[in-house]
Amino acid sequence: MKIIVVDHDAENRKNLIRALGAKGHGMLEAADGKEALALLPQKPDAVIVAANPADADVLTLCRQARHSDPSSYGYIIILSKSPAAKDAILWLESGADVIIDAPADPDRLAAQLKAGQRRMNGNRRHSPAKTVHEPERFTKAEDSTATKPDPEPEKRADSTDAAPRTVARKEGLTIKDTTKQDRVLAKIALSHKIVTKKDLAEAFTIQHREQRAGRKASLDVILRERGMATQEQIDDLLVATKRRLGKRFGAIAIQKGFATQEQIVHALNEQAAEYKRLHSCRRLGDILVSHSVITNEQCDLIWLEQEAVEVLPAEPERTDENQTAAPLPESEEDRAFSLTISADNMKALITVKRDAAETRGALKKIKALLAENGVRHGILPDDRITEFLEHPDEEHRSLVAAEGTPPITGTCASIRYYFETEYLSAGKINAEGDIDYRDRGERPRVAKGTVVAEKIPGQAGQSGMDILGNAIPPPELEEIPLLCDEGVLLSDNGLQIIAAIDGEPNLTKSGRISVFDELNINGDVDFSTGNIHFAGNINVKGAIRDGFRVTGGSISAGEIFGAEIEAAGDVMVGGGILGANILTEGNVTAKYIDRANIKSFGSVIVQKEVRDSKIRASGEFKSERGTIISSYVAARIGVQTKNIGTDVSEACKIQIGVDENVRKRIQAYGFRHAEKTEILEKLQSEYENKTRDMEELQGRIAELAQVQDRSDITRRDLSRQIAELKDQGETEELKRILLELQRLETASKEAEEQLSNCFVKQEQMEADAARSMSEIETIISGIEAIGNEKNAVLKWAEKNKAQAVLRTSGIICSGTRIHGRRAAMIVKEDVKNCKATEVKTDEPGDNWEIVITRG
């Protein structure tokens, strides 16, 4: 984000700029509101103002920032130390979005900025990013050459673009008016009869008219807006265009020796797989770079050659809106030099004919051509261009005459943990067939006051500049929050998590850090103990009985019967789990499981059988000597067991490679986010109503004050008249004025009482408004926390990918259903000692199947 920091105190301003700049934001500074006003034309994303009630220019800044350019909304944050409610209201009415107590914590301020950015993204009117869909009707035609990149891309480009070029020429257009992507898209649209030549001619005419008016208009946008194609058809066309351009990209890469045909085929297949999976796909060049097949520079060079926008001499003026005069013949000198600017404005390519060096003032003409087209940054020195011009051998030669400066990406923040975060194995089965809980690794312990985790701040990147002189901001760095749970404290600087008690450190999959104490229960969890909720590890020597609920860190018990268990760590059961519901961030180990519902973000290890149960594991399911009977078992990493099913039981369903826990957790985060957003909108509406009530009350106070002022003036006048009438002896008039004076005093007293009541009510309303603002800020922080946890779970799931396998040493009974991420099968007959995996077929396209092999 581009942020203006406004503060009279230079030291405070400097510290704030340093803190926010380290988080990847672009920073501008101003000492006061007047200086900040001069920076508004740069369209900042946010303005942070350190203000006090005496700063009248702050109100002007807020109003100007809010109303100067309605299309460019900036988020305004006021920093003020314990502001009065009336000042806060005035700032908010003038255009501020939120008020934060000064001095502001940088992390709190960064979170508030992210919340503001979400609000701005929601309010801005812009076209939503398209999800690219490649339809089946294109798949066969486009994929038929996937394994055979065209060895002559230039010839094929000419034939491919023939139809749209013909239509364009009939409309008096040149290559300048149509990009490579538009021409390929038009060709595909024509070949599949999505548009007619008449429609295409009209679209090119509209595009030309828009470009002459200085507005960019891509062909797909025109086709959609004019009703010539539906949004679904446009999405299909864009994907098909990307696929066809990708094949040409691959052919050029092979021709230049940057990649082999095998590497291009692999990348094309990956592109096709992305479409099948996501209904969108990356450009082929991005895929090749991600696999280090080609470099970024080689990718740019191919794109420059394939997708560049040619800059040609200006065309003659139109005689009217629909007609174009015949193009002027191009002179030999005009054809001596051509300039190509890359689509991202990062490179300018000069192409010079063999005899161009003999053209008078060749260097000067090249420099002029660059200047005419706005190229002013990264231009090669004159001696380099001159050296290039003097090469006499090649028929045509090209030179990158200007190259932009790419931005330097900063380094993201990271978290260093001072304890082993993956210290426990799920347990092992010994030679006697029992689970050995002792062979599970050593549990870490920390003392009170120990630093258990530390945030290492990232380094801000540096802006770059394209060849046209436009600044290119560095990629925004993702902020990593420190999330505290039970038993820990956040340090004053917000960079360390410190143990508040002696105990066992723990890290959940959502990134929350805690330290657990221990609770030991010598008997059962039953009516003698009641439900257990303990912010630490719970050790139950007996059983957890039916109907009771236990919530804690890691939980161990002899047996669990029909209970509700929620654990932030592991659940370890020496005996069996019967009819229980278990949700855990760690592993589950037990001798057997019967009629249970288990959701584990770790692994599930069972010594004997699983019967009539539903088990979802983000790790693996392992029961090397056991049997799965009439159950549903889903494990992301895989399933290892002896037998699946029996001759008389209901069929089992086994799912591998899919993480149902993560999917449902992300879904739950969505529900919580929507719920809190709804509450936030309600609170904001109530706050606005309270603000309006306060405005009305303020108006009533002003009216009563005016009544008192007018009464005081009239009473002074009447007092003078009374003195004069006494001297004159005017008794009757004196009586009348005395009565009038008495009436005014009564009215003034009533107004004074009303005014006093209004002031009391005003104080109550100000306190109520302050509480509402505090609630709003709390909800915003909660929404931010939900987003952070969601991102942490997604990162964990992405980081822990693996090839899922189902292994059995005994029998998989017929009727068993096996599901992977992309394929499924029903076992037709009993299979012994086998392995089931999900593999890609040899058929064209993104087709998968479950394959069972023996041994």
Side-chain angles (χ1 to χ4, degrees), residues 609 611-612 627-631 643-652 811-816 830:
E609 70 179 28
R611 182 185 296 271
D612 296 322
T627 300
I628 302 172
I629 304 171
S630 303
S631 297
N643 301 311
I644 299 177
T646 67
D647 294 338
V648 295
S649 65
E650 293 183 6
C652 294
I811 297 175
I812 300 179
C813 288
S814 63
T816 300
D830 293 356

Short mmCIF file of all heavy atoms in Angstrom, two decimals, residues 609 611-612 627-631 643-652 811-816 830:
data_model
loop_
_atom_site.label_atom_id
_atom_site.label_comp_id
_atom_site.label_asym_id
_atom_site.label_seq_id
_atom_site.Cartn_x
_atom_site.Cartn_y
_atom_site.Cartn_z
N GLU A 609 -9.33 -53.47 15.71
CA GLU A 609 -10.30 -53.19 14.67
C GLU A 609 -10.96 -51.82 14.80
O GLU A 609 -10.99 -51.22 15.88
CB GLU A 609 -11.38 -54.27 14.64
CG GLU A 609 -12.32 -54.23 15.85
CD GLU A 609 -13.38 -55.31 15.78
OE1 GLU A 609 -13.14 -56.36 15.17
OE2 GLU A 609 -14.46 -55.10 16.35
N ARG A 611 -14.77 -50.38 13.79
CA ARG A 611 -16.08 -50.89 13.39
C ARG A 611 -17.12 -49.76 13.45
O ARG A 611 -17.18 -48.98 14.41
CB ARG A 611 -16.51 -52.02 14.33
CG ARG A 611 -17.85 -52.66 13.96
CD ARG A 611 -18.25 -53.68 15.01
NE ARG A 611 -17.33 -54.80 15.07
CZ ARG A 611 -17.45 -55.91 14.33
NH1 ARG A 611 -18.46 -56.03 13.48
NH2 ARG A 611 -16.58 -56.89 14.45
N ASP A 612 -17.94 -49.69 12.39
CA ASP A 612 -19.09 -48.76 12.33
C ASP A 612 -18.69 -47.34 12.74
O ASP A 612 -19.39 -46.68 13.50
CB ASP A 612 -20.21 -49.26 13.26
CG ASP A 612 -20.77 -50.59 12.80
OD1 ASP A 612 -20.88 -50.79 11.58
OD2 ASP A 612 -21.07 -51.43 13.67
N THR A 627 -8.48 -54.60 11.45
CA THR A 627 -9.45 -54.72 10.38
C THR A 627 -10.40 -53.52 10.43
O THR A 627 -10.83 -53.12 11.52
CB THR A 627 -10.26 -56.02 10.53
OG1 THR A 627 -9.38 -57.13 10.48
CG2 THR A 627 -11.29 -56.15 9.41
N ILE A 628 -10.71 -52.99 9.24
CA ILE A 628 -11.70 -51.91 9.13
C ILE A 628 -13.01 -52.55 8.70
O ILE A 628 -13.09 -53.20 7.66
CB ILE A 628 -11.25 -50.86 8.11
CG1 ILE A 628 -9.88 -50.26 8.49
CG2 ILE A 628 -12.29 -49.75 7.98
CD1 ILE A 628 -9.29 -49.35 7.44
N ILE A 629 -14.07 -52.34 9.51
CA ILE A 629 -15.35 -53.00 9.26
C ILE A 629 -16.46 -51.95 9.20
O ILE A 629 -16.61 -51.14 10.13
CB ILE A 629 -15.67 -54.03 10.36
CG1 ILE A 629 -14.54 -55.06 10.48
CG2 ILE A 629 -17.00 -54.73 10.08
CD1 ILE A 629 -14.67 -55.97 11.68
N SER A 630 -17.22 -51.96 8.11
CA SER A 630 -18.42 -51.09 7.97
C SER A 630 -18.11 -49.65 8.35
O SER A 630 -18.88 -49.01 9.06
CB SER A 630 -19.57 -51.63 8.84
OG SER A 630 -19.88 -52.97 8.50
N SER A 631 -17.01 -49.11 7.90
CA SER A 631 -16.59 -47.78 8.32
C SER A 631 -16.16 -46.93 7.14
O SER A 631 -15.89 -47.43 6.04
CB SER A 631 -15.42 -47.88 9.32
OG SER A 631 -15.82 -48.55 10.49
N ASN A 643 -6.82 -55.82 7.06
CA ASN A 643 -8.00 -56.20 6.30
C ASN A 643 -8.97 -55.03 6.19
O ASN A 643 -9.07 -54.19 7.10
CB ASN A 643 -8.73 -57.37 6.97
CG ASN A 643 -7.86 -58.60 7.11
OD1 ASN A 643 -7.23 -59.02 6.14
ND2 ASN A 643 -7.82 -59.18 8.30
N ILE A 644 -9.73 -55.02 5.09
CA ILE A 644 -10.80 -54.05 4.91
C ILE A 644 -12.07 -54.83 4.59
O ILE A 644 -12.17 -55.44 3.52
CB ILE A 644 -10.50 -53.05 3.79
CG1 ILE A 644 -9.22 -52.25 4.10
CG2 ILE A 644 -11.67 -52.10 3.59
CD1 ILE A 644 -8.81 -51.29 3.01
N GLY A 645 -13.04 -54.82 5.51
CA GLY A 645 -14.30 -55.47 5.30
C GLY A 645 -14.30 -56.94 5.69
O GLY A 645 -13.24 -57.54 5.94
N THR A 646 -15.52 -57.51 5.75
CA THR A 646 -15.72 -58.95 5.98
C THR A 646 -16.78 -59.45 5.01
O THR A 646 -17.42 -58.66 4.30
CB THR A 646 -16.17 -59.23 7.43
OG1 THR A 646 -17.48 -58.67 7.62
CG2 THR A 646 -15.22 -58.61 8.44
N ASP A 647 -17.00 -60.74 5.02
CA ASP A 647 -17.98 -61.32 4.09
C ASP A 647 -19.40 -60.88 4.40
O ASP A 647 -20.27 -60.86 3.52
CB ASP A 647 -17.90 -62.85 4.12
CG ASP A 647 -16.57 -63.36 3.57
OD1 ASP A 647 -15.94 -62.60 2.80
OD2 ASP A 647 -16.18 -64.49 3.91
N VAL A 648 -19.70 -60.52 5.64
CA VAL A 648 -21.08 -60.25 6.04
C VAL A 648 -21.32 -58.78 6.40
O VAL A 648 -22.45 -58.39 6.62
CB VAL A 648 -21.46 -61.14 7.24
CG1 VAL A 648 -21.46 -62.60 6.84
CG2 VAL A 648 -20.53 -60.91 8.42
N SER A 649 -20.27 -57.96 6.48
CA SER A 649 -20.45 -56.56 6.89
C SER A 649 -20.77 -55.67 5.70
O SER A 649 -20.60 -56.06 4.54
CB SER A 649 -19.17 -56.06 7.57
OG SER A 649 -18.10 -56.03 6.63
N GLU A 650 -21.27 -54.45 6.00
CA GLU A 650 -21.50 -53.47 4.96
C GLU A 650 -20.16 -53.02 4.37
O GLU A 650 -19.13 -53.06 5.03
CB GLU A 650 -22.24 -52.26 5.52
CG GLU A 650 -23.65 -52.56 5.97
CD GLU A 650 -24.36 -51.31 6.46
OE1 GLU A 650 -23.78 -50.22 6.32
OE2 GLU A 650 -25.48 -51.43 6.98
N ALA A 651 -20.22 -52.58 3.10
CA ALA A 651 -18.99 -52.18 2.42
C ALA A 651 -18.36 -50.96 3.09
O ALA A 651 -19.07 -50.06 3.55
CB ALA A 651 -19.28 -51.88 0.95
N CYS A 652 -17.05 -50.92 3.10
CA CYS A 652 -16.31 -49.77 3.64
C CYS A 652 -16.04 -48.75 2.52
O CYS A 652 -16.02 -49.10 1.34
CB CYS A 652 -14.97 -50.21 4.22
SG CYS A 652 -15.11 -51.26 5.68
N ILE A 811 -6.76 -58.78 3.30
CA ILE A 811 -7.75 -58.81 2.22
C ILE A 811 -8.52 -57.49 2.16
O ILE A 811 -8.89 -56.93 3.20
CB ILE A 811 -8.75 -59.96 2.44
CG1 ILE A 811 -8.03 -61.32 2.39
CG2 ILE A 811 -9.87 -59.93 1.40
CD1 ILE A 811 -8.94 -62.49 2.70
N ILE A 812 -8.74 -57.02 0.92
CA ILE A 812 -9.74 -55.98 0.66
C ILE A 812 -10.96 -56.70 0.09
O ILE A 812 -10.89 -57.30 -0.99
CB ILE A 812 -9.25 -54.93 -0.35
CG1 ILE A 812 -7.98 -54.23 0.16
CG2 ILE A 812 -10.34 -53.88 -0.59
CD1 ILE A 812 -7.45 -53.19 -0.80
N CYS A 813 -12.06 -56.66 0.82
CA CYS A 813 -13.25 -57.38 0.39
C CYS A 813 -13.94 -56.68 -0.77
O CYS A 813 -13.89 -55.44 -0.90
CB CYS A 813 -14.22 -57.54 1.56
SG CYS A 813 -13.65 -58.73 2.79
N SER A 814 -14.60 -57.49 -1.60
CA SER A 814 -15.34 -56.93 -2.73
C SER A 814 -16.42 -55.98 -2.23
O SER A 814 -17.00 -56.17 -1.16
CB SER A 814 -15.96 -58.05 -3.55
OG SER A 814 -16.90 -58.77 -2.78
N GLY A 815 -16.69 -54.95 -3.03
CA GLY A 815 -17.66 -53.92 -2.65
C GLY A 815 -17.04 -52.72 -1.98
O GLY A 815 -17.69 -51.67 -1.85
N THR A 816 -15.79 -52.85 -1.54
CA THR A 816 -15.10 -51.71 -0.92
C THR A 816 -14.94 -50.58 -1.94
O THR A 816 -14.52 -50.82 -3.07
CB THR A 816 -13.73 -52.12 -0.39
OG1 THR A 816 -13.89 -53.14 0.59
CG2 THR A 816 -13.01 -50.93 0.23
N ASP A 830 -12.51 -59.96 -4.05
CA ASP A 830 -11.54 -59.89 -2.97
C ASP A 830 -10.11 -59.82 -3.53
O ASP A 830 -9.77 -60.53 -4.49
CB ASP A 830 -11.65 -61.12 -2.06
CG ASP A 830 -12.97 -61.14 -1.30
OD1 ASP A 830 -13.73 -60.16 -1.44
OD2 ASP A 830 -13.24 -62.12 -0.60
#
